[in-house]
Amino acid sequence: LVDALQNNTSLETLNLRKNNDISRQGQLMLLKLCCDISSIKATLQSNHTLKNIRSISENSDGFIQTDDGVMKEIDMATLINISYKNNPEGASRKKVIRTQLQSGTRAALCHLQDVNHSVYSEIDPLHLPEVLSLIGQHHGHAELFVALSSSIMTLFSTVNRKKCIQQQMEYHAAKVAEHRAQLEELGTELEAIEAAEGNTGNDEVEHRSNKRRRKWWWGLW
């Protein structure tokens, strides 16, 4: 069912009440369907169409059983889908900001979905300033401090990478200038060779012409 709904763009309500076969793993799969925390790309590609999912079931004793943490996150994901109806790009962006860029929410979702890598390992260092700006705008200074603390080594690597790129550009620019000078030198040498060959050819033509004139002149005697 979850696999079939992965690319769903029409079904908005999924009612699974009193379905005793839904396990905790099944609920986690539904959560991952609506908000996959395994990577930023996965979050962006989550289902942004479903707006109402009910998976509460009753056990053999007649008591309602549910995983409140999982269902809470499913409800949050579907509320975002409702808020951005007919705008999947907006919903995907909102989910990334809410889940991937908020340390507490991300930690909880990573625990539920068994994900254990840093989100900053996925982000191009050159885009970090924009990401940190989003965190400050949407989650405040406290969360921005957490993000800075978590990404400080990546920021340092950005500076080092920038310096490395500059050095490589300077090196290759120098090589280009060197090769251009060699090219001009070889071109000059080639022109000299071709000019010499042209003069030799003219000398041979003139020599043959003079020889023919001498033969003609001698024939008159």
Side-chain angles (χ1 to χ4, degrees):
L1 176 62
V2 171
D3 291 339
L5 291 172
Q6 190 66 48
N7 298 316
N8 165 58
T9 58
S10 58
L11 183 65
E12 296 186 356
T13 299
L14 182 64
N15 191 345
L16 301 173
R17 287 179 181 273
K18 296 183 180 182
N19 189 329
N20 296 325
D21 294 330
I22 297 179
S23 63
R24 172 180 168 80
Q25 185 60 34
Q27 291 180 343
L28 289 172
M29 291 176 68
L30 287 172
L31 171 58
K32 188 173 183 178
L33 171 69
C34 296
C35 188
D36 189 342
I37 200 69
S38 61
S39 69
I40 292 176
K41 182 178 180 180
T43 304
L44 292 171
Q45 294 178 343
S46 298
N47 184 292
H48 308 306
T49 304
L50 283 169
K51 297 174 177 60
N52 190 2
I53 298 178
R54 290 292 176 263
S55 65
I56 299 175
S57 59
E58 296 179 359
N59 60 20
S60 58
D61 297 322
F63 293 103
I64 293 175
Q65 56 183 14
T66 182
D67 188 313
D68 293 334
V70 176
M71 285 308 302
K72 176 185 175 182
E73 290 302 329
I74 290 176
D75 287 342
M76 289 301 300
T78 53
L79 281 174
I80 291 175
N81 291 351
I82 292 172
S83 300
Y84 290 87
K85 185 177 182 179
N86 301 323
N87 183 9
E89 291 80 10
S92 64
R93 184 175 185 272
K94 181 65 176 180
K95 287 179 183 178
V96 168
I97 292 172
R98 177 188 174 268
T99 62
Q100 296 284 4
L101 303 185
Q102 211 287 333
S103 59
T105 303
R106 187 175 191 278
L109 285 168
C110 285
H111 176 71
L112 289 173
Q113 298 184 31
D114 196 24
V115 175
N116 57 11
H117 68 271
S118 170
V119 66
Y120 297 104
S121 63
E122 306 175 39
I123 299 174
D124 187 328
L126 296 177
H127 296 157
L128 262 179
E130 299 172 25
V131 173
L132 293 173
S133 176
L134 281 174
I135 293 172
Q137 291 174 29
H138 293 272
H139 302 305
H141 295 298
E143 191 62 32
L144 178 59
F145 176 77
V146 173
L148 282 168
S149 300
S150 302
S151 62
I152 190 68
M153 293 309 298
T154 306
L155 284 172
F156 281 139
S157 70
T158 303
V159 175
N160 293 337
R161 177 61 178 163
K162 181 179 178 181
K163 184 65 176 178
C164 179
I165 291 174
Q166 290 174 338
Q167 290 175 344
Q168 288 182 341
M169 289 177 65
E170 291 172 359
Y171 170 80
H172 289 296
K175 281 293 184 182
V176 168
E178 180 183 345
H179 291 158
R180 186 177 290 114
Q182 290 178 347
L183 183 62
E184 292 177 356
E185 182 179 343
L186 290 171
T188 301
E189 183 178 352
L190 179 61
E191 289 176 358
I193 291 172
E194 290 176 343
E197 289 177 344
N199 290 335
T200 301
N202 291 336
D203 291 342
E204 289 180 357
V205 170
E206 184 177 355
H207 174 71
R208 290 174 183 172
S209 178
N210 290 337
K211 189 174 182 180
R212 283 195 296 270
R213 283 197 297 270
R214 286 196 299 272
K215 285 183 178 180
W216 176 80
W217 178 257
W218 291 339
L220 295 177
W221 295 93

